[in-house]
Amino acid sequence: VGVGTRSFNQMLESIRENIDQLKESMERQAQMKERELMMEAHLKEAQLKFLQAQINPHFLYNTLEIIRSRAMRRGSADVAEMAEALGMLFRYCINSPGELATLAQELDNVHHYLLIQRYRYGDRFTYEEYIENEDVMDSSLPVMTLQPLVENAVCHGICQKMEGGTVQIRSFRKNGEICVQILDDGAGFDTEKLKDADGIAIRNLKLRLKEFLNADLEIESRKGEGCRQTIHIPWEETEDENYSDR
C-alpha cells in the first residue's frame, strides 16, 4: 500500500508540474502574441506616418501653387511672388535627388529664402555674393546646408540690430580646401557661447558635412562684431585644373 501511495503521489506531483509548465507556456505564448499585435500596430502607425510625410509636402506645394495663381489673377504680385518662392523651397526639399546638391543649387535655394525674408524685414538687410571661381559652383554640399546658416545670420544676427546690416556668401579655394563662408555684421555673440549656438540643426549639419564630404563647419563670432560661418570642404586639384591655371 505504501509503495502504491508513493507512486500515486509522485504521479500527482508530475501532473501538477506538467500543468504548471503548460500554464507558463500558454502565458508566454499569450505575451508573445500580445507583443506581436503591438508590433503590428506600431508598424501600421509608422507606415501611415510615412505616407502622411509623403503626402503633406506635396499637398502644401500644390496649395501654394493655387494661392500663387489666384494672387496673380487678382493683381497681388507680392503675394504671388512669396507663394512661388515658398513653393520652390518646398520643391527643393521634396524633389532633391539623393543627399547632395551643388553649390549653385544651394545658392538658388538661399535666393528663394531671402526673397521671403525681404517681405518680412524690408530693407533691414542687404545680401551680397562673391564667387571666386565659377567652377566651384559644381562643388557638392548636403541638401539644405546654406539656408539654415543664412537664417542664423539674418534672424539671429542682422535683425537683432535696429540699423540692420549685410549678409555675404563667399566661396573660394584656399590651402587644399573649398571654403564657403556666410558672413554678417549683425549683433554677434560671445565666444564662450559658441557651444550654446550649436543647436540641434547645427549639430545635425556638422554630422552630415562630416559623413558625406569629410567637411567641417567653423563658427566664429564676437559680441557686437557679427559672425563668420565657414564650411571647409577638402579639395584635390585635378591635372586638367592644374593645367588650365598655367
Side-chain angles (χ1 to χ4, degrees):
V1 176
V3 174
T5 301
R6 284 196 300 272
S7 297
F8 181 73
N9 289 336
Q10 289 174 353
M11 182 181 68
L12 287 177
E13 187 63 28
S14 178
I15 291 172
R16 289 194 189 97
E17 289 178 357
N18 288 333
I19 292 173
D20 290 341
Q21 290 176 0
L22 181 59
K23 285 181 179 179
E24 290 177 1
S25 177
M26 291 175 66
E27 288 176 357
R28 284 197 298 270
Q29 289 179 357
Q31 291 173 354
M32 290 176 63
K33 184 65 176 178
E34 185 178 358
R35 284 197 294 268
E36 183 180 346
L37 291 173
M38 289 179 63
M39 290 177 66
E40 287 181 1
H42 289 317
L43 178 60
K44 289 179 180 178
E45 183 180 1
Q47 289 173 334
L48 177 61
K49 288 182 178 179
F50 177 74
L51 290 173
Q52 289 174 334
Q54 288 184 311
I55 293 170
N56 288 343
H58 289 284
F59 171 74
L60 289 171
Y61 174 75
N62 291 334
T63 302
L64 286 168
E65 180 59 25
I66 294 170
I67 294 172
R68 186 194 70 82
S69 299
R70 292 197 174 188
M72 286 294 293
R73 287 198 296 269
R74 297 181 182 182
S76 301
D78 55 346
V79 176
E81 190 174 39
M82 280 190 287
E84 182 179 18
L86 186 54
M88 294 300 290
L89 285 170
F90 273 120
R91 175 178 285 182
Y92 182 69
C93 294
I94 297 168
N95 296 333
S96 296
E99 299 284 354
L100 295 176
T102 64
L103 175 58
Q105 291 171 324
E106 280 287 292
L107 288 172
D108 282 343
N109 192 53
V110 166
H111 299 159
H112 294 132
Y113 167 76
L114 288 176
L115 188 149
I116 296 171
Q117 294 297 66
R118 182 73 65 193
Y119 280 102
R120 179 182 180 184
Y121 294 113
D123 295 331
R124 290 187 62 191
F125 73 89
T126 56
Y127 173 69
E128 300 173 355
E129 199 171 280
Y130 301 95
I131 308 298
E132 183 183 68
N133 298 298
E134 285 299 318
D135 53 351
V136 303
M137 296 291 276
D138 293 326
S139 303
S140 295
L141 285 170
V143 172
M144 292 297 289
T145 291
L146 297 185
Q147 185 273 327
L149 299 179
V150 172
E151 182 173 356
N152 281 346
V154 173
C155 298
H156 304 299
I158 299 300
C159 293
Q160 298 302 312
K161 293 173 62 177
M162 290 297 296
E163 65 273 26
T166 301
V167 177
Q168 294 182 358
I169 293 184
R170 296 176 176 268
S171 181
F172 53 89
R173 294 173 180 168
K174 181 179 179 182
N175 299 330
E177 295 180 333
I178 292 177
C179 296
V180 182
Q181 289 185 334
I182 298 87
L183 305 101
D184 69 78
D185 55 1
F189 48 87
D190 295 331
T191 307
E192 309 84 76
K193 297 182 180 179
L194 280 175
K195 291 184 178 179
D196 296 334
D198 285 2
I200 294 175
I202 296 299
R203 287 198 297 270
N204 180 52
L205 177 54
K206 286 184 174 182
L207 288 173
R208 290 194 297 134
L209 284 166
K210 191 70 176 177
E211 178 181 357
F212 293 120
L213 301 172
N214 195 29
D216 188 29
L217 171 62
E218 179 185 14
I219 301 178
E220 303 168 275
S221 182
R222 287 185 180 180
K223 189 73 173 178
E225 297 184 16
C227 181
R228 178 169 60 192
Q229 305 172 91
T230 306
I231 301 169
H232 300 273
I233 306 169
W235 167 72
E236 293 183 5
E237 187 177 40
T238 64
E239 291 184 4
D240 290 340
E241 289 171 332
N242 193 22
Y243 179 78
S244 64
D245 289 340
R246 293 176 183 173

